Amino acid sequence: MFKKILIANRGEIAVRVIKTCRKMGIKTVVVYSDADAGSMAVEMADESVHIGGSPAAQSYLVADKIIAAVRQTGAEAIHPGFGFLSENAAFAKRLEEEGIGWIGPNAFAIDSMGDKISSKKLAAEAGVSTVPGHMGLIEDTKEAIKISKQIGYPVMIKASAGGGGKGIRVAANDKEVEEGFPAVKAEAKASFGDDRVFIEKFILEPRHIEIQVLGDKHGNCLWLNERECSIQRRNQKVIEEAPSPLLDPETRKKMGEQAVALAKAVNYDSAGTVEFVASGKDKGFYFLEMNTRLQVEHPVTEMITGIDLVEQMIRSAYGEKLKLKQSDIKINGWAVESRVYAEDPYRNFLPSIGRLKRFHPPAEGKLGKGEVRMDSGVREGDEISMFYDPMIAKLVTWGKDRDTALDVHGEALDRFHIEGIQDNIPFIAAVMDEKRFRSGNITTAYIKDEFPEGFQGVPATKAQEVQLICSAAYVHAFYDRRAGEISGRLAPRAPRREWVVILGDKHHPVTIDIGRDGEAEIAVDGGKPHSLMTSWKPGKHLVEGVLDGRAFAVKFADRTEGYLFRHRGVALRALVCTPFVADMHSRLPEKPKADTSKLIISPMPGLVVSMDVTLGQVVQEGEAVCIVEAMKMQNIIRAGANGTVKAINVKAGESVAADEIMVEFA
C-alpha cells in the first residue's frame, strides 16, 4: 500500500481524505495557497507545501507546482479530491508518464467522459438513454438561437467542460438565449479554461438522480445504488439523499446496469458517478454526464452502504482488486446531506464572505433516533474566502427510514450555530419541514416552485411560538433573578413572575416560576402551565432542553433590545418586559423604511465584470445594469424599476462591497 499520499485540494475534501488515510496508516501531504495557510487541512496533514497565491489559477490549478510538491516530499500518489485538477485528463496522463500514482480513473476515461459532447455519443453507443440536443459546438449567439428553436424551448445551455453547477443556463425564449449564451461561455472560460458550449432539451419536471460506480484495474465494476440530488438552486445541489424516493427496485437496477455499461466502455477503474435526469411521472431516465471523480455528496452513499469510497479509490489506484461483489451491495436505512453555504438566503442566496466568529456544528454520533456526520474543513476563527467555493460544511444524517433521517437532520440543524457571515441553514431547516419535500414529490424546480419570491423565512407554527415564548421568558427571568440576587444584597426582592413576551406585533402575557436547576413552569396567555427543563446558562447560543416532554433546541442571541430566536427558518425578535412597559411599547410609532428604489446596490462583495449602462440612459425595469462576479459565479444585476441613470459609482474591473451603491437613478 502507498506510504504517503499528496492531496491536491483544500478545505473539506482535503480533511475528508486525511481522515481515511489516517485510518489506513498512510501519511499525508497537503498543498496550500496563501488564503489556506492556517487551514484545518494544513494543521491535520503530516506535511504541507505552499504552492502560491490565493487565486486557484496561481496555486491549485498549477500542475507544475503540484508535481514539484510530490518530488519535494516523496509522496507516491496524488488524490485530487473534487474540482481543480480532479477531472483533468492531461494532468492524469502526465502523472502516469512521470511515475506518480493517480488516485482517480485512467486518463482515457477522464478524457472520454469529461467532455459532455463526446460522452453523450459514447453513452448512446453503450446503450444508455440520452437527452435530445445539439452535440456539435456552437460558435456564436445567432447560431445558439437557431439551434434552440430547432430543439424547442425550454433548452439548457451548458459548458462542455463544466461541472459543479457552473456554466449552465436554462432559456425559455430567444432573449434568454441571447443573454445566457455569452454568460455561459464567460463562466466556462473563467472556471474551466474552456469556453465550448452545447445546447440540449430541458426536461420539464425533471429529477436529478445519479448512480455511484466503483471500478478497479482488473475489469471489475459495481454500482452502489443511487442518490437523489433534485433539490438544487441555480443548478447547484443543496440537499441530497440516498436512496431516491422515486425509484423502485426494477428502475434502480436498470439505471445501475446502464451506469456500469458506460463505465466499462471506458475501462473505468475508480469511484465515479453517472448522472441521469429522470421523469417523476413515468420513471423514464436519460444520461446527463459522468463525473470522473469523487462527488461532493458521496457521504450519503457511504452511510447506506457502509463502504468508504475514498479507501476504495486508494486501493484501486494501488492496483488491488475489488473485494466487493454486486450482491454485497445493500441499502441500509436512509441518509440525507445538506450543503451549508456561506450565502444569504434572505437576499436571494447571494455569497457572503468573512470570518467565522462562531462555528459550533452539531456533535457527531447519535442524535434522536439516528446518527449525525459532519464533514467540514473550517474552524471557528477561519475565514471564508472569495477565491473558492462558498461551501462551509456538509451535514449528513442517517435514520432507519426517510422520515427518521429528515427528523434527525432538522434536529441537527437546530444545533448548528454560525456567526460572522450569513449562512443558508435557515433555508435548509425550513425545507426539512416543508410538506411537499417531506412527501418526496420533488423536482429540480422545487426551490423555484416553492419559493418563487425567494426565501424570506417561514411563519412560526403554534408549537414554535410556544417554544420561543417559553425560551424568551426563561432567559429573561434567569437574567432578572440573577440581577435581583446581586442587588438584593442591599435591598432583597422577590423574582418577578409576571411578564409580557412581545413577538412581532403580538403580546403574550406569561407567568413564570423558575427553579434553581433549570426547571420552570410557564403559563402563556393565561393557559395551562408548560413544563420546561433546560441547561441554558448566559453565554450559550442554544436554549436546549425538554418542553412538555419533548426535546427541542432554539438558537438564541442577546440583542440591544430583546432577544433574537431562530428555529427551522423562523426568525423572531422577542422583547420581554413588564406589563406596563409592554403597554407603552404598543403605543410607539413604527420607524419608516428607507427608500432605496432609485439605487442599484451591490448585493454581495465581488468584482464588477461589466457596467452595461451609461449616464443619462433610460433603463426599463428588469433590464441588465451590470454584472458582478463572486466565488466564480457571474450575477446579472437588474433594474428594479424604470429610471434614468443619474450617477455611476463603479466601473468594470473594480471591487465592490456588499450594500455598496453602484448606480443611482433620477
Side-chain angles (χ1 to χ4, degrees):
M1 179 49 63
F2 298 119
K3 299 292 189 298
K4 185 186 291 187
I5 288 172
L6 183 142
I7 302 164
N9 216 298
R10 62 176 300 279
E12 171 268 322
I13 188 56
V15 171
R16 164 72 187 89
V17 176
I18 289 170
K19 288 179 178 178
T20 287
C21 287
R22 283 181 174 179
K23 182 180 70 174
M24 297 177 70
I26 301 170
K27 291 188 178 298
T28 54
V29 180
V30 295
V31 291
Y32 66 92
S33 69
D34 290 346
D36 290 330
S39 68
M40 181 188 293
V42 169
E43 181 182 288
M44 290 179 64
D46 296 294
E47 298 176 60
S48 58
V49 179
H50 177 252
I51 55 168
S54 299
Q58 298 176 18
S59 49
Y60 298 107
L61 289 173
V62 184
D64 288 344
K65 292 183 177 181
I66 304 292
I67 291 173
V70 170
R71 301 302 186 200
Q72 176 184 332
T73 59
E76 302 162 79
I78 289 176
H79 195 300
F82 41 70
F84 298 138
L85 295 172
S86 63
E87 293 179 283
N88 188 308
F91 183 59
K93 182 66 174 175
R94 181 177 170 186
L95 295 182
E96 181 183 354
E97 292 170 350
E98 298 199 20
I100 300 170
W102 170 249
I103 304 174
N106 62 80
F108 172 74
I110 298 173
D111 191 44
S112 300
M113 293 292 102
D115 186 286
K116 292 185 176 65
I117 295 172
S118 63
S119 67
K120 287 185 185 300
K121 292 177 180 177
L122 273 169
E125 292 171 2
V128 181
S129 304
T130 57
V131 180
H134 182 87
M135 295 298 103
L137 297 179
I138 302 164
E139 295 300 328
D140 54 33
T141 303
K142 184 177 179 181
E143 186 184 0
I145 293 173
K146 179 182 177 181
I147 290 169
S148 298
K149 286 181 175 179
Q150 291 172 347
I151 295 172
Y153 290 111
V155 297
M156 182 175 285
I157 308 166
K158 301 179 73 172
S160 181
K166 296 176 180 64
I168 299 176
R169 290 285 193 283
V170 175
N173 51 53
D174 292 358
K175 182 173 176 56
E176 291 183 5
V177 174
E178 188 176 339
E179 288 184 350
F181 182 76
V184 169
K185 284 182 75 71
E187 285 184 8
K189 185 68 174 177
S191 296
F192 316 111
D194 183 344
D195 68 352
R196 293 177 301 158
V197 171
F198 72 102
I199 297 176
E200 67 183 13
K201 180 72 175 176
F202 181 69
I203 308 298
L204 294 173
E205 299 184 13
R207 295 177 74 134
H208 185 121
I209 297 176
E210 56 192 35
I211 300 290
Q212 176 71 56
V213 296
L214 185 62
D216 63 21
K217 298 182 183 301
H218 305 276
N220 301 303
C221 190
L222 310 171
W223 53 276
L224 279 66
N225 303 311
E226 80 282 1
R227 296 184 288 259
E228 171 92 50
C229 305
S230 297
I231 306 300
Q232 303 179 7
R233 182 190 50 74
R234 299 175 190 153
N235 302 301
Q236 181 79 49
K237 299 166 188 174
V238 179
I239 299 171
E240 302 102 347
E241 57 186 302
S244 165
L246 176 68
L247 299 194
D248 53 46
E250 182 182 357
T251 307
R252 177 177 296 117
K253 186 172 184 290
K254 287 180 181 178
M255 292 180 78
E257 289 175 347
Q258 284 196 17
V260 167
L262 179 60
K264 285 190 172 182
V266 292
N267 299 318
Y268 204 83
D269 53 354
S270 186
T273 298
V274 180
E275 300 193 349
F276 295 92
V277 58
S279 167
K281 293 184 178 180
D282 60 11
K283 299 182 184 177
F285 56 89
Y286 306 92
F287 171 75
L288 280 176
E289 61 182 322
M290 183 174 190
N291 288 300
T292 53
R293 55 172 168 80
L294 190 68
Q295 290 280 89
V296 175
E297 58 273 23
H298 74 275
V300 291
T301 295
E302 294 182 329
M303 294 291 275
I304 66 165
T305 62
I307 297 169
D308 185 327
L309 290 172
V310 174
E311 178 181 346
Q312 293 300 320
M313 291 179 75
I314 293 171
R315 293 190 181 283
S316 175
Y318 191 68
E320 292 185 8
K321 284 186 177 182
L322 279 173
K323 295 181 180 179
L324 298 164
K325 297 180 180 179
Q326 192 63 58
S327 58
D328 297 327
I329 310 303
K330 309 297 182 183
I331 298 177
N332 175 30
W334 210 283
V336 179
E337 173 181 298
S338 61
R339 304 189 188 189
V340 179
Y341 284 117
E343 60 187 14
D344 190 346
Y346 299 97
R347 301 176 69 174
N348 200 27
F349 299 94
L350 292 168
S352 174
I353 61 176
R355 193 164 299 282
L356 291 166
K357 295 179 181 178
R358 296 284 185 274
F359 183 71
H360 298 160
E364 289 193 300
K366 294 288 185 182
L367 178 63
K369 296 180 179 179
E371 295 181 12
V372 173
R373 167 175 166 175
M374 271 295 306
D375 282 20
S376 180
V378 297
R379 304 149 299 186
E380 189 167 283
D382 285 349
E383 186 170 352
I384 303 302
S385 169
M386 68 179 288
F387 297 104
Y388 312 115
D389 187 270
M391 190 171 69
I392 302 170
K394 299 182 310 198
L395 173 64
V396 189
T397 57
W398 177 91
K400 62 183 178 62
D401 51 36
R402 187 171 188 264
D403 281 342
T404 303
L406 294 177
D407 287 344
V408 175
H409 210 89
E411 292 175 33
L413 289 167
D414 291 344
R415 292 158 175 81
F416 205 141
H417 180 66
I418 296 174
E419 289 183 20
I421 59 170
Q422 300 301 316
D423 61 72
N424 65 338
I425 290 174
F427 172 73
I428 300 169
V431 171
M432 287 298 133
D433 284 345
E434 198 276 323
K435 184 177 179 181
R436 178 182 165 195
F437 176 72
R438 295 293 295 220
S439 75
N441 180 27
I442 53 179
T443 71
T444 54
Y446 167 83
I447 292 177
K448 185 177 179 180
D449 290 345
E450 299 303 321
F451 303 91
E453 304 300 322
F455 181 74
Q456 298 303 322
V458 295
T461 64
K462 184 61 180 176
Q464 285 174 314
E465 277 195 354
V466 170
Q467 284 181 1
L468 298 179
I469 291 168
C470 290
S471 298
Y474 182 87
V475 166
H476 197 79
F478 190 102
Y479 281 136
D480 179 70
R481 185 182 70 183
R482 190 172 65 170
E485 289 172 347
I486 295 171
S487 63
R489 295 168 188 169
L490 299 176
R493 69 174 177 84
R496 176 182 287 276
R497 298 178 65 245
E498 308 295 330
W499 298 96
V500 176
V501 178
I502 303 175
L503 293 179
D505 58 354
K506 295 181 181 179
H507 288 222
H508 300 276
V510 301
T511 302
I512 179 169
D513 292 296
I514 184 170
R516 290 285 171 184
D517 299 315
E519 75 279 7
E521 294 289 322
I522 308 170
V524 179
D525 296 327
K528 181 181 177 182
H530 298 279
S531 174
L532 174 69
M533 280 294 300
T534 178
S535 59
W536 180 86
K537 292 290 187 296
K540 286 190 174 183
H541 62 268
L542 279 180
V543 179
E544 187 175 5
V546 177
L547 181 66
D548 295 334
R550 296 189 64 178
F552 79 100
V554 175
K555 294 174 188 176
F556 160 80
D558 197 351
R559 292 292 185 255
T560 303
E561 184 182 32
Y563 314 103
L564 180 64
F565 289 94
R566 295 184 182 275
H567 184 263
R568 303 288 174 94
V570 174
L572 286 175
R573 189 177 294 275
L575 181 63
V576 186
C577 46
T578 66
F580 175 78
V581 173
D583 183 57
M584 294 297 101
H585 191 274
S586 65
R587 301 172 190 267
L588 294 173
E590 288 190 17
K591 182 180 179 180
K593 293 183 178 179
D595 181 13
T596 59
S597 60
K598 295 185 178 181
L599 305 175
I600 296 292
I601 299 172
S602 178
M604 78 210 91
L607 180 73
V608 179
V609 175
S610 67
M611 179 56 66
D612 303 320
V613 296
T614 57
L615 284 174
Q617 180 178 336
V618 176
V619 178
Q620 303 298 315
E621 180 181 355
E623 188 173 342
V625 174
C626 60
I627 297 176
V628 176
E629 183 179 287
M631 290 176 169
K632 300 184 287 185
M633 293 292 286
Q634 292 194 354
N635 301 273
I636 300 173
I637 311 300
R638 302 180 185 277
N642 299 342
T644 302
V645 178
K646 181 177 75 173
I648 300 175
N649 302 323
V650 296
K651 59 185 178 182
E654 292 184 344
S655 296
V656 289
D659 298 324
E660 182 174 340
I661 297 173
M662 299 187 292
V663 178
E664 301 175 47
F665 294 126

